[in-house]
Amino acid sequence: MPREGDADVSISGKKLCDLDEYSLEHVFLYLTVADLDRCVLVCKKFQHIIQRFVFPKKCMHTLVAGSRQGAALSLYTFTRRKRVKLDENWRYGRYEERAYFNHNVMYISQLAIDRDWLYMTHRGRLQAHRRLKNRQMVDNKSEWAIGVARDSDITSLVKRDDRFFMGRMDGKIQIYDLDADKLYLQTITNDIIKAVDFNANVYAVTTKNESTYILNHSLLEPDILDEDDPELLQHTFVHPQAYETIKLNDTQLAVGKFHCSSKQALQLIDLYSCTTIQLNSPSTAVYDVLWMDEHCILSGNFDTTMRLVDTRTGSDEACWTDPYNASVYCLSYNGTYAVHCGMKYHYRANLYDIRVPDRCVQMYFPSKRHNNYSPVYRIATDCSQMFLVTDHNLRILNFDADWAATKDYASI
């Protein structure tokens, strides 16, 4: 006859490797990469489950390193294990830092990246620097450049495929087609151009004090630039309001005012009807906006918040507040879950997860030079690197640095 304690004896004799693969997968999903590396060495069963199921599933939910957009911008093709490790480095603040292009006179460079190149402005010149697969990360010497430094300063830069669209302080816009190696210059206004954007054949320009312009190609073949054409872009609409920032999608222009006392700084301009749509996002000033998808906008605001706005409801769907009460100067979205914000003070950048409202995942404080107060004016990221434009240089944080010291500010 079985005794009372026999069931307990049989259960206590069970080993972890006796569990079925579904249970083991669930357990392994909670482990770090270091723990998983040790488990892989235990037996072939553990190795199969971790490599076949655990790392792919963890990659699907990674905050930064799982983005296809980020992978397309990266020099490297990372394994699933490495992508999970990179995500841990982003979350816990493990990175190597380098500073480039130091200049004593304060000015704001414009920035864009792709897989092989870093594009950066130096006053009136746009220059391309090759990205490197070593600890240097970027070649200090430019491989090509357009314009010269003594030209009017470039105030805004947008890159789509092989085409660059730039606005300048003298009221002119520049379009450079890299594939055809053609540069086009056109005067739009006498005012300083504050921001530009383009989508297909529609171009948008806003100035510091006067108006916002919607322009289209005048050519029958819109993909061909003709530097001798006096009016390559034709005005289709002039909106009598200047904005701090603008971003285009297929049918609408998201705009943010530098100041609005009624706390209605975020608006939409419909490209078909040329009407303004007021969004119910209570912001005194909007410093940067971007489209998450065809319906949702992210805005970086003076009031220390980043807001997610759904244009179908016209209202905020989520809001994140900076722990140090600093304004959000610029935004970068990786296409999945991660939003990087450049903050007003101390060269700082914040990492947010759009799945987790009102919580900062991590803050990054690059080492300080010159002064302690520079904002991050421009920001760009891929799976493993973050590029930050400050008053006096460019900072690059490389998160493919498992040896680096942990700088964890998430609990502040």
Side-chain angles (χ1 to χ4, degrees):
M1 185 174 181
R3 291 177 295 180
E4 186 177 348
D6 284 352
D8 296 334
V9 172
S10 62
I11 293 173
S12 63
K14 287 280 186 181
K15 299 178 181 179
L16 181 63
C17 59
D18 294 329
L19 294 174
D20 62 86
E21 63 180 23
Y22 302 104
S23 300
L24 285 171
E25 177 188 333
H26 184 75
V27 172
F28 291 151
L29 285 172
Y30 289 92
L31 301 183
T32 64
V33 172
D35 291 334
L36 290 172
D37 287 343
R38 287 188 284 268
C39 290
V40 163
L41 302 176
V42 172
C43 63
K44 289 186 177 179
K45 180 180 179 179
F46 282 15
Q47 181 185 22
H48 173 76
I49 294 171
I50 291 170
Q51 293 181 346
R52 183 73 180 274
F53 302 107
V54 176
F55 280 132
K57 187 169 286 188
K58 288 176 79 73
C59 277
M60 289 174 58
H61 301 289
T62 53
L63 178 56
V64 179
S67 165
R68 291 183 180 179
Q69 178 178 310
L73 294 173
S74 176
L75 268 173
Y76 302 91
T77 301
F78 296 109
T79 64
R80 291 189 177 98
R81 178 200 171 277
K82 185 61 179 179
R83 285 159 61 188
V84 177
K85 184 61 178 176
L86 283 171
D87 204 67
E88 290 182 0
N89 292 346
W90 280 99
R91 288 180 176 275
Y92 298 118
R94 286 191 292 266
Y95 57 86
E96 182 181 41
E97 177 191 351
R98 288 186 177 271
Y100 296 90
F101 316 123
N102 295 301
H103 45 86
N104 293 323
V105 177
M106 191 198 88
Y107 63 85
I108 303 168
S109 295
Q110 307 303 312
L111 175 69
I113 63 169
D114 59 27
R115 180 183 289 273
D116 299 307
W117 299 93
L118 163 74
Y119 306 99
M120 195 167 178
T121 64
H122 178 80
R123 297 192 180 276
R125 183 173 72 239
L126 172 66
Q127 52 198 37
H129 298 265
R130 187 174 292 278
R131 298 176 64 183
L132 305 174
K133 286 187 174 181
N134 56 36
R135 295 184 69 178
Q136 191 71 16
M137 293 185 283
V138 169
D139 189 351
N140 277 302
K141 184 179 178 181
S142 62
E143 296 232 0
W144 59 261
I146 59 170
V148 293
R150 65 176 177 270
D151 288 343
S152 181
D153 285 6
I154 297 171
T155 57
S156 52
L157 167 69
V158 178
K159 179 183 181 293
R160 300 270 190 274
D161 298 323
D162 287 329
R163 184 164 294 186
F164 298 84
F165 185 36
M166 293 163 278
R168 306 198 325 186
M169 288 193 70
D170 60 2
K172 296 180 180 179
I173 56 99
Q174 287 178 294
I175 301 174
Y176 178 61
D177 191 318
L178 179 61
D179 187 46
D181 191 24
K182 285 191 175 182
L183 177 67
Y184 179 80
L185 184 68
Q186 179 174 334
T187 300
I188 301 297
T189 175
N190 292 323
D191 195 10
I192 296 172
I193 293 179
K194 191 66 179 177
V196 299
D197 198 15
F198 76 102
N199 187 7
N201 302 317
V202 180
Y203 291 73
V205 177
T206 192
T207 65
K208 184 175 182 180
N209 303 302
E210 294 178 354
S211 305
T212 298
Y213 303 87
I214 307 298
L215 308 107
N216 282 84
H217 268 293
S218 61
L219 300 178
L220 295 177
E221 298 182 42
D223 290 333
I224 300 175
L225 287 178
D226 185 355
E227 55 193 351
D228 296 324
D229 193 322
E231 291 293 334
L232 177 71
L233 301 182
Q234 295 289 335
H235 293 262
T236 59
F237 172 63
V238 179
H239 181 69
Q241 175 71 55
Y243 295 97
E244 174 71 10
T245 180
I246 57 175
K247 287 294 188 302
L248 272 169
N249 73 356
D250 291 335
T251 61
Q252 294 175 316
L253 178 69
V255 297
K257 292 183 179 180
F258 180 74
H259 178 74
C260 181
S261 57
S262 60
K263 293 189 175 182
Q264 295 181 327
L266 184 63
Q267 299 175 351
L268 289 176
I269 298 175
D270 186 271
L271 298 182
Y272 292 131
S273 64
C274 300
T275 57
T276 302
I277 304 168
Q278 183 62 56
L279 298 175
N280 187 27
S281 180
S283 301
T284 304
V286 175
Y287 291 153
D288 197 11
V289 293
L290 56 81
W291 288 94
M292 281 184 55
D293 55 40
E294 59 180 332
H295 299 297
C296 294
I297 298 171
L298 286 169
S299 66
N301 306 296
F302 165 78
D303 63 3
T304 78
T305 64
M306 179 187 74
R307 299 173 183 269
L308 171 58
V309 184
D310 192 324
T311 60
R312 292 164 294 191
T313 64
S315 301
D316 292 345
E317 299 299 324
C319 180
W320 294 261
T321 303
D322 177 57
Y324 284 160
N325 295 321
S327 301
V328 181
Y329 266 42
C330 56
L331 301 168
S332 174
Y333 174 55
N334 78 337
T336 52
Y337 309 117
V339 183
H340 295 84
C341 297
M343 310 307 295
K344 185 176 181 180
Y345 298 119
H346 308 296
Y347 308 93
R348 176 163 57 95
N350 289 2
L351 172 62
Y352 293 100
D353 187 339
I354 61 173
R355 299 167 293 186
V356 186
D358 205 23
R359 178 177 172 269
C360 182
V361 174
Q362 191 56 264
M363 292 181 284
Y364 310 103
F365 290 84
S367 58
K368 302 174 179 62
R369 296 183 181 89
H370 295 282
N371 61 62
N372 297 333
Y373 303 106
S374 173
V376 172
Y377 296 103
R378 302 289 181 265
I379 187 168
T381 63
D382 63 17
C383 284
S384 63
Q385 296 179 357
M386 177 161 59
F387 302 78
L388 308 172
V389 172
T390 69
D391 282 341
H392 296 282
N393 56 24
L394 171 74
R395 308 293 180 91
I396 305 180
L397 308 186
N398 179 27
F399 291 84
D400 188 8
D402 299 339
W403 62 86
T406 298
K407 308 175 188 68
D408 188 357
Y409 298 99
S411 60
I412 293 179

Coordinates of all heavy atoms in Angstrom, one line a residue, residues 10-57:
S10 N 8.5 11.4 -5.5 CA 8.6 11.3 -6.9 C 8.7 12.6 -7.6 O 9.4 12.8 -8.6 CB 7.5 10.5 -7.5 OG 6.3 11.2 -7.2
I11 N 8.0 13.6 -7.1 CA 8.0 15.0 -7.6 C 9.4 15.6 -7.3 O 10.0 16.2 -8.2 CB 6.9 15.8 -7.0 CG1 5.5 15.3 -7.5 CG2 7.1 17.3 -7.4 CD1 4.4 16.0 -6.9
S12 N 9.9 15.4 -6.1 CA 11.2 16.0 -5.8 C 12.3 15.4 -6.6 O 13.4 16.0 -6.7 CB 11.5 15.9 -4.3 OG 11.6 14.5 -4.0
G13 N 12.1 14.2 -7.1 CA 13.2 13.6 -8.0 C 13.2 14.1 -9.4 O 14.1 13.7 -10.1
K14 N 12.3 14.9 -9.8 CA 12.3 15.5 -11.1 C 13.4 16.5 -11.3 O 13.8 17.2 -10.4 CB 11.0 16.2 -11.4 CG 9.7 15.3 -11.6 CD 9.7 14.8 -13.0 CE 8.4 14.0 -13.2 NZ 8.3 13.5 -14.6
K15 N 14.0 16.5 -12.5 CA 15.1 17.4 -12.9 C 14.5 18.4 -13.9 O 13.5 18.1 -14.6 CB 16.3 16.6 -13.5 CG 16.9 15.6 -12.5 CD 18.0 14.9 -13.1 CE 18.6 13.9 -12.2 NZ 19.8 13.1 -12.8
L16 N 15.3 19.5 -14.1 CA 14.8 20.5 -15.0 C 14.8 19.9 -16.4 O 13.9 20.2 -17.2 CB 15.8 21.7 -15.0 CG 15.5 22.9 -15.9 CD1 14.2 23.5 -15.5 CD2 16.6 23.9 -15.8
C17 N 15.7 19.1 -16.8 CA 15.8 18.6 -18.2 C 14.7 17.6 -18.4 O 14.4 17.2 -19.6 CB 17.1 17.9 -18.4 SG 17.5 16.5 -17.3
D18 N 13.9 17.2 -17.4 CA 12.8 16.3 -17.6 C 11.5 17.0 -18.1 O 10.6 16.4 -18.5 CB 12.4 15.5 -16.3 CG 13.6 14.6 -15.9 OD1 14.2 14.1 -16.8 OD2 13.8 14.4 -14.7
L19 N 11.5 18.4 -18.0 CA 10.4 19.1 -18.4 C 10.3 19.1 -19.9 O 11.3 18.9 -20.7 CB 10.5 20.6 -18.0 CG 10.5 20.9 -16.5 CD1 10.8 22.4 -16.2 CD2 9.1 20.5 -15.9
D20 N 9.0 19.3 -20.4 CA 8.9 19.3 -21.9 C 9.4 20.5 -22.5 O 9.7 21.5 -21.8 CB 7.4 19.1 -22.2 CG 6.6 20.3 -21.7 OD1 6.5 21.3 -22.4 OD2 6.0 20.1 -20.6
E21 N 9.6 20.6 -23.8 CA 10.3 21.7 -24.4 C 9.5 23.0 -24.4 O 10.1 24.1 -24.3 CB 10.6 21.4 -25.9 CG 9.4 21.1 -26.8 CD 9.7 20.8 -28.2 OE1 10.8 20.3 -28.5 OE2 8.9 21.0 -29.1
Y22 N 8.2 22.9 -24.3 CA 7.4 24.1 -24.2 C 7.6 24.8 -22.8 O 7.7 26.0 -22.7 CB 5.9 23.8 -24.4 CG 5.6 23.2 -25.7 CD1 5.4 21.8 -25.9 CD2 5.7 24.0 -26.9 CE1 5.2 21.2 -27.1 CE2 5.5 23.4 -28.2 CZ 5.2 22.0 -28.2 OH 5.0 21.5 -29.5
S23 N 7.7 24.0 -21.8 CA 7.9 24.5 -20.4 C 9.3 25.1 -20.3 O 9.5 26.1 -19.7 CB 7.7 23.4 -19.4 OG 6.4 22.9 -19.4
L24 N 10.3 24.4 -20.9 CA 11.7 24.9 -20.8 C 11.8 26.2 -21.6 O 12.5 27.1 -21.2 CB 12.6 23.8 -21.4 CG 12.9 22.6 -20.6 CD1 13.6 21.5 -21.4 CD2 13.7 23.0 -19.3
E25 N 11.1 26.3 -22.8 CA 11.2 27.5 -23.5 C 10.7 28.7 -22.7 O 11.2 29.8 -22.7 CB 10.4 27.4 -24.8 CG 10.3 28.6 -25.6 CD 9.3 28.5 -26.8 OE1 9.1 27.3 -27.3 OE2 8.8 29.5 -27.2
H26 N 9.6 28.5 -22.0 CA 9.0 29.5 -21.2 C 9.9 29.9 -20.1 O 10.1 31.1 -19.8 CB 7.7 29.0 -20.5 CG 6.9 30.0 -19.8 ND1 6.3 31.1 -20.3 CD2 6.8 30.2 -18.4 CE1 5.7 31.8 -19.4 NE2 6.1 31.3 -18.2
V27 N 10.6 29.0 -19.5 CA 11.6 29.3 -18.4 C 12.8 30.1 -19.0 O 13.2 31.1 -18.5 CB 12.1 28.0 -17.7 CG1 13.3 28.3 -16.8 CG2 11.0 27.3 -17.0
F28 N 13.3 29.6 -20.1 CA 14.5 30.2 -20.7 C 14.2 31.7 -21.2 O 15.2 32.5 -21.2 CB 15.0 29.4 -21.9 CG 15.6 28.1 -21.5 CD1 15.5 27.0 -22.4 CD2 16.2 27.9 -20.3 CE1 16.1 25.8 -22.0 CE2 16.7 26.7 -19.9 CZ 16.7 25.6 -20.8
L29 N 13.0 32.0 -21.5 CA 12.7 33.3 -22.0 C 13.0 34.4 -20.9 O 13.1 35.6 -21.2 CB 11.2 33.4 -22.4 CG 10.9 32.8 -23.8 CD1 9.4 32.8 -24.0 CD2 11.6 33.5 -24.9
Y30 N 13.0 34.0 -19.6 CA 13.3 34.9 -18.6 C 14.8 35.1 -18.2 O 15.1 35.9 -17.4 CB 12.5 34.5 -17.3 CG 11.0 34.6 -17.4 CD1 10.2 33.6 -17.9 CD2 10.4 35.8 -17.1 CE1 8.9 33.7 -18.0 CE2 9.0 36.0 -17.2 CZ 8.3 34.9 -17.6 OH 6.9 35.1 -17.7
L31 N 15.6 34.3 -18.9 CA 17.0 34.4 -18.6 C 17.8 35.4 -19.5 O 17.4 35.7 -20.6 CB 17.7 33.0 -18.8 CG 17.1 31.8 -18.0 CD1 17.9 30.5 -18.3 CD2 17.0 32.1 -16.5
T32 N 18.9 35.9 -18.9 CA 19.8 36.8 -19.7 C 20.6 36.0 -20.7 O 20.6 34.7 -20.6 CB 20.7 37.5 -18.7 OG1 21.6 36.6 -18.1 CG2 19.9 38.3 -17.7
V33 N 21.3 36.7 -21.6 CA 22.1 36.0 -22.6 C 23.2 35.3 -21.9 O 23.6 34.1 -22.3 CB 22.7 37.1 -23.5 CG1 23.7 36.4 -24.5 CG2 21.6 37.7 -24.4
A34 N 23.8 35.8 -20.8 CA 24.9 35.1 -20.1 C 24.4 33.8 -19.5 O 25.1 32.8 -19.6 CB 25.4 36.0 -19.0
D35 N 23.2 33.8 -18.9 CA 22.6 32.6 -18.4 C 22.3 31.6 -19.5 O 22.5 30.4 -19.4 CB 21.4 32.9 -17.6 CG 21.7 33.6 -16.3 OD1 22.8 33.5 -15.8 OD2 20.8 34.4 -15.8
L36 N 21.8 32.1 -20.6 CA 21.4 31.2 -21.8 C 22.7 30.6 -22.3 O 22.7 29.4 -22.8 CB 20.7 32.0 -22.8 CG 19.3 32.4 -22.5 CD1 18.7 33.3 -23.6 CD2 18.4 31.2 -22.3
D37 N 23.8 31.3 -22.4 CA 25.1 30.7 -22.9 C 25.5 29.6 -22.0 O 26.1 28.6 -22.5 CB 26.1 31.8 -22.9 CG 25.9 32.8 -24.0 OD1 25.2 32.5 -24.9 OD2 26.5 33.9 -23.9
R38 N 25.3 29.7 -20.7 CA 25.7 28.5 -19.8 C 24.7 27.4 -20.0 O 25.1 26.2 -20.0 CB 25.6 29.0 -18.4 CG 26.8 29.9 -18.0 CD 26.9 30.2 -16.5 NE 25.9 31.2 -16.1 CZ 26.1 32.5 -16.1 NH1 27.3 33.0 -16.4 NH2 25.2 33.3 -15.7
C39 N 23.4 27.7 -20.2 CA 22.5 26.6 -20.4 C 22.7 25.8 -21.7 O 22.4 24.6 -21.8 CB 21.0 27.1 -20.4 SG 20.5 27.7 -18.8
V40 N 23.2 26.5 -22.7 CA 23.5 25.8 -24.0 C 24.5 24.7 -23.8 O 24.4 23.7 -24.5 CB 24.0 26.9 -25.0 CG1 24.6 26.2 -26.2 CG2 22.8 27.7 -25.5
L41 N 25.4 24.9 -22.9 CA 26.4 23.9 -22.7 C 26.0 22.7 -21.9 O 26.7 21.7 -21.7 CB 27.6 24.6 -21.9 CG 28.2 25.8 -22.7 CD1 29.3 26.4 -21.8 CD2 28.8 25.4 -24.0
V42 N 24.8 22.7 -21.3 CA 24.3 21.6 -20.4 C 24.1 20.4 -21.2 O 24.6 19.3 -20.9 CB 23.1 22.1 -19.7 CG1 22.5 20.9 -18.9 CG2 23.4 23.2 -18.7
C43 N 23.3 20.4 -22.3 CA 22.9 19.3 -23.1 C 22.4 19.7 -24.4 O 22.1 20.9 -24.7 CB 21.9 18.4 -22.4 SG 20.3 19.2 -22.1
K44 N 22.3 18.8 -25.4 CA 21.8 19.1 -26.7 C 20.4 19.5 -26.7 O 19.9 20.3 -27.6 CB 22.0 17.9 -27.6 CG 23.5 17.6 -28.0 CD 23.6 16.5 -29.0 CE 25.1 16.3 -29.4 NZ 25.2 15.2 -30.4
K45 N 19.6 19.0 -25.8 CA 18.2 19.4 -25.7 C 18.1 20.9 -25.4 O 17.3 21.6 -26.0 CB 17.5 18.6 -24.6 CG 16.0 18.9 -24.5 CD 15.4 18.0 -23.4 CE 13.9 18.4 -23.2 NZ 13.2 17.5 -22.2
F46 N 18.8 21.3 -24.4 CA 18.8 22.8 -24.0 C 19.3 23.6 -25.2 O 18.8 24.7 -25.5 CB 19.7 23.0 -22.8 CG 19.0 22.6 -21.5 CD1 17.9 21.8 -21.5 CD2 19.6 23.1 -20.3 CE1 17.3 21.5 -20.3 CE2 19.0 22.7 -19.1 CZ 17.9 21.9 -19.1
Q47 N 20.4 23.1 -25.9 CA 21.0 23.9 -27.0 C 19.9 24.0 -28.1 O 19.8 25.1 -28.7 CB 22.2 23.1 -27.5 CG 22.9 23.8 -28.6 CD 24.0 23.0 -29.2 OE1 24.1 21.8 -29.0 NE2 25.0 23.7 -29.9
H48 N 19.2 23.0 -28.4 CA 18.2 23.0 -29.5 C 17.1 24.0 -29.2 O 16.7 24.8 -30.0 CB 17.7 21.6 -29.7 CG 16.5 21.6 -30.7 ND1 16.7 21.7 -32.0 CD2 15.2 21.5 -30.5 CE1 15.5 21.6 -32.6 NE2 14.6 21.5 -31.7
I49 N 16.6 23.9 -28.0 CA 15.5 24.8 -27.6 C 15.9 26.3 -27.6 O 15.2 27.1 -28.1 CB 14.9 24.4 -26.2 CG1 14.3 23.0 -26.3 CG2 13.9 25.4 -25.7 CD1 14.0 22.4 -24.9
I50 N 17.1 26.6 -27.1 CA 17.5 28.0 -26.9 C 17.8 28.6 -28.3 O 17.4 29.7 -28.6 CB 18.8 28.0 -26.0 CG1 18.3 27.7 -24.6 CG2 19.4 29.4 -26.1 CD1 19.5 27.5 -23.6
Q51 N 18.5 27.8 -29.1 CA 18.9 28.3 -30.4 C 17.7 28.3 -31.4 O 17.6 29.3 -32.3 CB 20.1 27.5 -31.0 CG 21.3 27.7 -30.2 CD 22.5 26.9 -30.8 OE1 22.3 26.1 -31.6 NE2 23.7 27.2 -30.3
R52 N 16.9 27.4 -31.3 CA 15.8 27.2 -32.3 C 14.6 28.1 -32.0 O 13.8 28.6 -32.8 CB 15.4 25.8 -32.5 CG 14.3 25.5 -33.5 CD 14.9 25.6 -34.9 NE 13.8 25.3 -35.9 CZ 13.5 24.1 -36.3 NH1 14.2 23.1 -35.9 NH2 12.6 24.0 -37.3
F53 N 14.3 28.2 -30.7 CA 13.0 28.9 -30.2 C 13.2 30.1 -29.4 O 12.5 31.1 -29.6 CB 12.1 27.8 -29.5 CG 11.8 26.6 -30.3 CD1 12.4 25.4 -30.0 CD2 10.9 26.7 -31.3 CE1 12.1 24.3 -30.7 CE2 10.6 25.6 -32.1 CZ 11.2 24.4 -31.8
V54 N 14.2 30.0 -28.4 CA 14.2 31.1 -27.4 C 14.8 32.4 -28.0 O 14.2 33.5 -27.9 CB 15.1 30.7 -26.2 CG1 15.3 31.8 -25.2 CG2 14.4 29.5 -25.5
F55 N 16.0 32.3 -28.7 CA 16.6 33.5 -29.2 C 15.7 34.2 -30.3 O 15.5 35.4 -30.3 CB 18.0 33.2 -29.8 CG 19.0 33.2 -28.7 CD1 19.9 32.2 -28.7 CD2 19.1 34.2 -27.8 CE1 20.9 32.2 -27.7 CE2 20.1 34.2 -26.8 CZ 21.0 33.2 -26.7
P56 N 15.0 33.4 -31.2 CA 14.1 34.0 -32.2 C 12.9 34.7 -31.5 O 12.6 35.8 -32.0 CB 13.7 32.8 -33.1 CG 14.8 31.8 -33.0 CD 15.3 32.0 -31.6
K57 N 12.4 34.1 -30.5 CA 11.2 34.7 -29.8 C 11.7 36.0 -29.1 O 10.9 37.0 -29.1 CB 10.6 33.7 -28.9 CG 9.3 34.2 -28.3 CD 8.5 33.1 -27.6 CE 7.8 32.2 -28.6 NZ 6.9 31.2 -27.9

